[in-house]
Amino acid sequence: MSVLLWIGMIFGFQPQSQNQDTVLLAPVEVYAPALDRFTQGQKIQSFSKTELNNYQGRSLGDLLQETSPIFIRQYGAGMLASPSFRGTSAGHTAIFWNGLPINSPSLGQSDLSILPIAGVDQVAIHFGNGGALFGNEAIGGSIHLNTKASFAKGFHGNFTQQIGSFGQFNSTLKAGFSTEKFSTETRIYRESAENDFTYKDLGQAGTPEVKAENSAFQQSGIVQDLAWNLNPTSQLKASLWYNEADREIQPVMGSNTNDTQKDESIRLAVDYFHFGKKSILNLKTGLIRDNQVFNQSINSTSQYFLSGDWDAALSSKWNLKTGIRLNFIQGELSTYQATDQRIETYQSLRFEPVEKVRLSLNLRQLAYLDQFEPFIPSLGVDWDFWKNTSNQLSLKASLAKGIKVPTLNDRFWEPGGNPDLLPERSKSGEIGLNWIKTGEFNLENSLTYYRMNVDNWIIWLPKGSFWSPENIREVQNQGLEYQGQVSKAAAAWNISANWSYTWSRAISTKGIGENDPSIGRQLPYTPEHQANGRITIGKNDFSAFLGTFFVGQRRVTTDGQRVMPTYQLFNLGFSYPKLNWGSLNLPISFQINNLFNTDYQVLYLRAMPGRSYHFTISIQL
Amino acid sequence: MKFKLNQLSWALGLSLLLFSCNDAGSERPLGEYETGILIMNEGAFGSNDGEVYHLDPISGTLKPNIFEAANNRPFAGLLEDMVLEEDRLFLVANTGKIEIVNAGDFKSLGAVSSDLDQPRSLAVVGSKLFISDYGPYDDNYNTPDSYVAVVDGLNGGPIKKKIEVSNKPEDLFVSGKYVFVAGSEEGKVEIIDAEKETIFKTLEVSGSPKQFFEVAGTLWLYSTGDGEVYFQSFRLDNLTKANLFTLPLSNATGRITFDKEGTIYILTSSGWPDYKDAVSKVSIVNSTFEPEWIKGSGFYGIAFDAKQDLLYVSNAKGFQGNGTVTVYRKNGQVESEITVGRGPSGFLVY
């Protein structure tokens, strides 16, 4: 019996339509712990392979902005893109790659522009506080990236070339070979763009149309996945991701800077799995090195990980997971050197008292330097309270805590770093309703209301000639997230659509002194309204999609005298995967982004590109 | 605190003060923005949201973002200085441009928008503009290539020449065909011959030169130093240094203003670790000195309105959002407080 069938039997996976990509396992697979095993009462959004295919040649930031409730603060095309999840700051979204947290320990966040979709196979989002499940920085939510090789597939390979407007030229070569016992997959990619789009320069007299300067973008990387089935009950796998991005930093309108930035990252994860009769033991080690050169200023950090956990089905009703993670951090920053070490232990318990109810309790203890956070819990329930042959209604509810350890820069930056900072702390609760209808057409609707507060929110304030961080702000967040999708297959036709609307209120309740004008107001660059939708129509093998996303007004500063206008963009795409030339299969696709050439800025005075065309052709080997 | 100033000749001159020259007035009717007070909001780094607000001190009417209102486009820069010359107002953005507007209605007349790095101030000689500029940062965030740029034409245009000066030039002052440059980093005053566009003479001065001012025909330079500030006067006939006065004042910034009775107001900031800011008041006539006349945190700009006899102190409020301006009476009482733009750093008082 193959390894993964075992796992399926132990854990009794129930394929659910909304979570197929994370749950449903093919018979022979490389094992990856499922994200939703202990996230009862919370929400997960996974992206299908088709959705990710539509974003080949683009970044994680583009994918999330256009198809999820996360708002991406984007400083230009290919420039810094940082997430704001449920009205939180960029440092309140944890990002994982094959189970390792990859946010920079010095900045406490990631630049989503240099996480290319080409480098990963799976993307999933966990909404809300995940301090107990995922640890540091999972406050607004967390993003989980995975690579995924497979067994017993023989040789496969493909080459994809994308050519687009503004000098875009992207190439990806992917090749893999696998037997029942061994699997290897290598991919190499290079993405580049001149980014010389035209925009209306508001910083010049007469607001002339000018070409963007100093905004060229180039990144390349290699991803290597290896996996061995050592014996029927154990598996070893390793993943390596090297990414190098070389960017000119597009100046804000009215400035003529010629900054450049180079980012280099090496990420390595090695996992050993032992599949027991009713349990899985996982030992993991990893390494992440980030090296950033901004003009001549060099900032490097290294993180080393060692972790182990044990996931067991205690009975048909009880599941337990417990583990420990050690993390050693070294920083060589332009103005200081620092080390940090973290020890985390965690316990998760899932209980299914009756068939329709699932409860989970998660706990985490976190120690860093001389600080100890003993109690980071979350508690959640899923209750399928009504069900008939074609309808299912479920209720989700959860309470959770989250934490953010001050970053290395917050604590040690010279001058101004504040070693006495406390962690940022968050408490939240959410309740959601899910309706799944199957039958002639499949329909799914979910509505979630959340409330959250973040205390000890760190902000940097000018202190004479330099800036220093303090635990000052307190923020109350609440919001509604509505998501729906429908699909229908009839004869040769395939129609599907999905849509979402997000209302997000994030208000300072405590600021710099009592007269801080930010008190009672929405945080800057946090839209209250966001929406997106996409309709895909396929006939035989041909398919076309029309996608749109809307971003509401954003205040530029805390007191909100200047407001950025709303914008809505449309993307249109066509694909035909069955083009053949002799025995070669040549899938092709064509995409138009910003279909109506809308002039917009995400952030004040940061020029964004107008309409662009992208043509992609692959060669399947 | 009482202190002694033995030579008060310069102080007597102060009481005559600068305002007479502005009040001389021209025949033409004044525009909407040529009365009252212009508030310079620097903007936040990386946001280029500098702007000018207009305050009518009598009615209290505050008009925000008057550049954008007049020109249907944002100022798009960090506003470093405003220089009035006849009916033109030069808005100096340290993000690399000069916007030139009609002082009356703020309508754009032109710009200097290419080949500048970090302009700090501007002076006009005849039909030429002289622009002090830090130059680009090097790898260690030093500015070894500071210059004064020359532009032919009062409405801007291309840079004609860059005259190399000592590091970090700030304020400029024009006397006849000479342009005085406050070289803040190396303690120098360079005197440029505006016709030849070369440095005519360099004078070494005490402290870090910050701002020029003219009192009764005498040119003064205000400089900051370690634990003291300096007032250096110059002879304009032979371009030499005249008198130097020293005042024991710690943590002084480059922000200074005067009232009609010979009182000097200087912003001080203690920096780390206490971050205490203050308005220091030096009354030359009474020989009184109050280093912490008004205490606070976040003080960023200062100006005295001689017509209303009121002192304006701006507060950047951490650049997180909008700043404020507090209006003080001469006895230190707060007259009013108004919310202005981001990073209010200075004023132009008509």
Side-chain angles (χ1 to χ4, degrees), chain B residues 194-238:
Chain B
E195 287 166 7
K196 293 182 181 147
E197 296 167 6
T198 52
I199 292 180
F200 172 74
K201 195 171 184 179
T202 300
L203 302 171
E204 305 274 336
V205 294
S206 304
S208 168
K210 292 284 158 58
Q211 201 179 321
F212 292 106
F213 56 98
E214 189 184 2
V215 180
T218 303
L219 172 63
W220 290 89
L221 171 67
Y222 163 67
S223 306
T224 57
D226 195 12
E228 39 195 27
V229 296
Y230 308 96
F231 294 92
Q232 172 74 59
S233 68
F234 297 88
R235 286 186 59 174
L236 292 176
D237 50 355
N238 60 4

Side-chain angles (χ1 to χ4, degrees), chain A residues 204-422:
Chain A
Q204 279 194 53
T207 63
E209 291 269 332
V210 299
K211 277 204 167 189
E213 280 179 21
N214 200 65
S215 53
F217 173 95
Q218 185 226 299
Q219 79 179 338
S220 48
I222 180 164
V223 178
Q224 175 65 51
D225 287 293
L226 291 167
W228 297 267
N229 282 325
L230 302 174
N231 56 52
T233 59
S234 54
Q235 191 178 83
L236 184 65
K237 65 170 191 165
S239 303
L240 174 81
W241 187 4
Y242 172 77
N243 189 70
E244 182 192 283
D246 219 333
R247 285 179 285 180
E248 294 173 347
I249 302 300
Q250 179 189 325
V252 57
M253 284 186 222
S255 288
N256 48 16
T257 46
N258 288 303
D259 297 328
T260 58
Q261 183 174 322
K262 192 171 173 170
D263 292 88
E264 242 183 328
S265 298
I266 300 171
R267 307 177 182 108
L268 172 71
V270 180
D271 284 279
Y272 169 80
F273 292 102
H274 177 77
F275 306 105
K277 268 192 177 161
K278 288 193 161 191
S279 68
I280 298 173
L281 176 73
N282 173 209
L283 299 175
K284 187 183 193 80
T285 182
L287 156 76
I288 295 174
R289 282 189 62 92
D290 293 310
N291 189 37
Q292 183 185 78
V293 185
F294 179 79
N295 293 336
Q296 304 295 324
S297 143
I298 303 173
N299 291 294
S300 307
T301 53
S302 303
Q303 299 188 75
Y304 305 91
F305 298 93
L306 190 62
S307 68
D309 62 35
W310 184 67
D311 190 341
L314 302 178
S315 72
S316 60
K317 289 182 173 173
W318 290 90
N319 279 270
L320 169 75
K321 183 174 177 173
T322 178
I324 181 167
R325 180 163 73 194
L326 309 175
N327 179 6
F328 179 71
I329 301 169
Q330 253 179 326
E332 296 265 338
L333 288 302
S334 59
T335 69
Y336 69 95
Q337 295 185 336
T339 59
D340 193 359
Q341 40 208 319
R342 292 170 195 173
I343 302 174
E344 289 162 89
T345 50
Y346 49 92
Q347 306 81 35
S348 293
L349 201 57
R350 186 171 67 147
F351 176 49
E352 295 187 47
V354 289
E355 196 201 316
K356 290 173 176 174
V357 177
R358 295 170 298 282
L359 292 151
S360 66
L361 171 70
N362 304 288
L363 296 168
R364 180 172 296 249
Q365 302 79 35
L366 165 69
Y368 70 97
L369 294 181
D370 56 344
Q371 306 279 321
F372 182 49
E373 291 292 331
F375 186 58
I376 311 167
S378 72
L379 179 68
V381 59
D382 285 352
W383 176 28
D384 307 330
F385 64 93
W386 191 75
K387 203 170 187 173
N388 68 13
T389 49
S390 60
N391 288 281
Q392 179 182 311
L393 277 171
S394 318
L395 191 71
K396 286 170 162 292
S398 66
L399 293 169
K401 272 189 173 181
I403 187 168
K404 180 176 172 69
V405 173
T407 65
L408 295 187
N409 285 359
D410 286 340
R411 284 182 283 159
F412 306 117
W413 187 262
E414 279 294 330
N418 179 357
D420 301 325
L421 284 173
L422 299 171

Side-chain angles (χ1 to χ4, degrees), chain B residues 325-336:
Chain B
V325 170
T326 309
V327 187
Y328 295 93
R329 289 191 210 123
K330 287 187 74 175
N331 60 9
Q333 275 190 325
V334 174
E335 168 86 12
S336 62

Side-chain angles (χ1 to χ4, degrees), chain A residues 203 253 296 559 561-562 606, chain B residues 46 48 68 97 139 275 322:
Chain A
M253 284 186 222
Q296 304 295 324
D559 41 19
Q561 289 220 337
R562 185 181 292 280
R606 303 279 175 176
Chain B
N48 278 6
E68 185 164 357
K97 69 168 178 181
D139 299 349
Y275 324 123
N322 287 329

Side-chain angles (χ1 to χ4, degrees), chain A residues 446-467:
Chain A
S446 77
L447 184 67
T448 306
Y449 172 74
Y450 67 86
R451 268 192 95 95
M452 163 161 59
N453 110 311
V454 186
D455 201 0
N456 289 343
W457 186 305
I458 293 169
I459 45 180
W460 284 69
L461 296 172
K463 304 293 186 185
S465 57
F466 57 85
W467 295 56

